[in-house]
Amino acid sequence: MDLETTWSELFKSFESEPEFKCIDCYSCRFVKNLLLSKELFTDSEIQQYNRINVEHSTLYRSSGNIVLHVVISSKCRQKNDVHCIVKLAKKEEPVSLLELRKIDSSLKWEALLCNVMHLFSDDIFPKFHFVDVGENNNQPIIILEDLTKRGYKPLKYKLSEQYLERCMILLAVFHANTFRLQKKNDVLFSTLCELWKRNDEYIIKQRKEQIRAFLESSIMTTLDDTLKKRIKQKLKKVECLKTEIASTIIHGCFTRSKVFMKDDIKYGFGIGDIKLIDFDAIQYDSPSIDFGRIFLTNLPNEDNVSKLERYFCSMMDAYLERFKCTYPEMNSTLVKQEIIHNLILSYINLSYLEKGAISNHISILHMFNKIGSFD
């Protein structure tokens, strides 16, 4: 991906090395060297900047990578400071630039996705200024815009029904585009799909571990025998991959922390008012994993199973309506079946902390049963 014009103008023409303020760590020094590197930027109009501030970001958090907030300040008061976000692979300990260790492949997957974002029909991603997938054992790196400077804010707290519905619309656009590109057989996207697919043996092993942990949990002991039996029968099918109906490229960790939204929407919500970030968990799997994670982690602490069912149907309707608008050629009924029949998969995929934040597990499992997830 080429640098945008703005970026090609910024960094090559320092009269002297600018003042550099940052936490004294390997990652910040790496960013300094990168931004001042004469190999990355072409000759262009001279602009004078005299300070680079780097700090570890508290808004753009990533479990798998290091995320830095960079501010490049101008000597001239008439020029605006430049804000950007830099993502690097985590290192266990500082290493020199000439002795980089084996990279975290998750950041490489995100960098690869950046190369096909232009194929998506909707503007749901932040602007990426520079992307290097880290070939030849180099460090993968991503430089993207700071969305907060365009009025977007991260979703920090449990979502209201309105905000969850907007996230479902965003997810539908993402999934519809990955299904469309998969069906279109775009050469680049098809190549990436093969990279993101995991072999069946690995998936079955992973699911066996997740299922065993769930069956041994205290939740199962509190269920009635009939529901317990239905869950066990369904999990046998999930474990053997017999519930796969319509898989595609999924986000892999679709939580509210991965969504930025404008909070000053005055003329009705549009897809341009919401952005999706952080793709280091991207994989080829059931869209139910994405749908279930954002749904279950923002579900009201409600024990009335009928109310939970209505809430689910409302979110599914919002998702499917936008999915059909984005990719009408796809049989949305298959996608609906895929999500419903694999909700238990999305449930056991939740992290320990995510499960711990849920108080109505029993009611949720009864709701799954009522909508047909265990059929």
Side-chain angles (χ1 to χ4, degrees):
M1 183 177 292
D2 294 332
L3 288 170
E4 294 187 353
T5 305
T6 302
W7 286 85
S8 67
E9 295 171 351
L10 287 181
F11 305 113
K12 190 168 182 183
S13 305
F14 289 102
E15 290 181 337
S16 59
E17 185 171 301
E19 179 185 350
F20 186 75
K21 294 184 178 180
C22 70
I23 300 171
D24 187 20
C25 69
Y26 160 74
S27 302
C28 294
R29 292 196 300 273
F30 181 90
V31 169
K32 172 190 176 181
N33 292 333
L34 174 77
L35 296 181
L36 298 179
S37 170
K38 298 184 184 300
E39 297 177 0
L40 286 180
F41 305 98
T42 59
D43 287 316
S44 188
E45 178 184 353
I46 295 177
Q47 295 192 32
Q48 302 301 325
Y49 289 81
N50 68 341
R51 182 181 297 130
I52 302 175
N53 298 321
V54 179
E55 59 185 10
H56 289 255
S57 175
T58 58
L59 291 180
Y60 296 79
R61 294 182 178 179
S62 171
S63 59
N65 302 297
I66 294 169
V67 184
L68 304 172
H69 178 231
V70 179
V71 182
I72 303 153
S73 301
S74 172
K75 289 181 180 179
C76 178
R77 292 183 179 180
Q78 296 178 345
K79 296 185 183 298
N80 295 327
D81 294 347
V82 177
H83 295 255
C84 64
I85 302 298
V86 178
K87 296 186 70 172
L88 305 170
K90 278 186 177 178
K91 301 295 175 186
E92 294 182 0
E93 61 184 38
V95 292
S96 70
L97 296 180
L98 299 177
E99 299 172 339
L100 290 174
R101 289 190 171 192
K102 186 177 181 180
I103 63 173
D104 182 354
S105 62
S106 65
L107 187 60
K108 186 173 182 178
W109 295 154
E110 179 168 359
L112 289 169
L113 178 68
C114 293
N115 290 320
V116 295
M117 284 180 176
H118 67 282
L119 300 174
F120 281 64
S121 60
D122 297 86
D123 181 20
I124 59 172
F125 307 114
K127 295 177 182 178
F128 287 81
H129 298 304
F130 180 78
V131 177
D132 187 340
V133 298
E135 294 180 350
N136 303 318
N137 296 319
N138 290 324
Q139 167 92 317
I141 186 166
I142 296 173
I143 304 177
L144 62 150
E145 69 168 324
D146 181 356
L147 286 167
T148 64
K149 300 306 172 185
R150 285 208 288 140
Y152 293 88
K153 293 184 178 180
L155 302 180
K156 295 182 179 180
Y157 307 107
K158 197 168 186 177
L159 302 178
S160 66
E161 183 174 359
Q162 180 188 47
Y163 274 60
L164 180 56
E165 183 176 301
R166 290 174 179 178
C167 288
M168 288 301 184
I169 291 172
L170 173 66
L171 183 62
V173 171
F174 180 76
H175 285 166
N177 273 282
T178 60
F179 273 114
R180 179 180 61 82
L181 292 171
Q182 187 178 191
K183 182 70 174 179
K184 187 181 177 182
N185 289 322
D186 177 84
V187 175
L188 179 56
F189 190 79
S190 298
T191 301
L192 295 182
C193 281
E194 292 303 314
L195 286 174
W196 289 322
K197 283 182 180 178
R198 300 163 297 165
N199 62 57
D200 289 351
E201 182 179 351
Y202 174 84
I203 297 174
I204 291 172
K205 180 181 178 181
Q206 183 185 51
R207 289 188 181 181
K208 278 184 176 180
E209 294 173 354
Q210 293 171 327
I211 290 170
R212 186 187 73 252
F214 172 68
L215 293 177
E216 294 174 354
S217 69
S218 59
I219 296 171
M220 283 294 288
T221 62
T222 60
L223 299 175
D224 61 78
D225 292 339
T226 301
L227 183 57
K228 194 182 299 183
K229 182 179 178 180
R230 286 179 63 80
I231 290 175
K232 287 181 177 179
Q233 289 174 340
K234 185 56 181 275
L235 286 175
K236 285 182 179 179
K237 296 179 182 179
V238 170
E239 180 183 306
C240 299
L241 312 183
K242 293 182 179 179
T243 58
E244 311 298 308
I245 301 173
S247 295
T248 188
I249 297 301
I250 65 171
H251 185 278
C253 189
F254 187 62
T255 63
R256 56 183 176 267
S257 65
K258 312 301 181 184
V259 178
F260 276 63
M261 189 183 301
K262 286 188 175 179
D263 64 350
D264 59 344
I265 301 170
K266 298 178 181 178
Y267 305 105
F269 172 75
I271 197 62
D273 297 319
I274 190 168
K275 300 293 181 184
L276 182 58
I277 68 166
D278 202 3
F279 302 91
D280 52 13
I282 195 167
Q283 58 190 279
Y284 189 90
D285 213 322
S286 170
S288 184
I289 293 176
D290 284 345
F291 186 101
R293 174 166 266 118
I294 192 71
F295 175 71
L296 294 171
T297 54
N298 293 281
L299 198 58
N301 293 323
E302 173 64 62
D303 289 321
N304 186 306
V305 176
S306 295
K307 288 184 179 180
L308 292 177
E309 180 187 12
R310 288 195 293 271
Y311 202 80
F312 170 80
C313 292
S314 175
M315 293 304 140
M316 176 59 77
D317 288 346
Y319 174 91
L320 289 176
E321 182 180 352
R322 187 62 193 218
F323 188 101
K324 287 185 283 189
C325 289
T326 305
Y327 185 30
E329 294 81 5
M330 176 74 182
N331 186 345
S332 59
T333 302
L334 290 180
V335 179
K336 180 179 180 179
Q337 292 174 348
E338 169 73 33
I339 291 173
I340 290 176
H341 286 291
N342 283 292
L343 274 175
I344 188 64
L345 173 62
S346 66
Y347 178 83
I348 65 176
N349 260 278
L350 296 178
S351 70
Y352 177 80
L353 291 176
E354 287 171 332
K355 289 178 181 176
I358 297 173
S359 62
N360 53 342
H361 291 274
I362 307 304
S363 300
I364 288 173
L365 292 172
H366 278 285
M367 183 267 288
F368 284 180
N369 187 44
K370 194 171 181 181
I371 63 176
S373 291
F374 302 140
D375 293 346

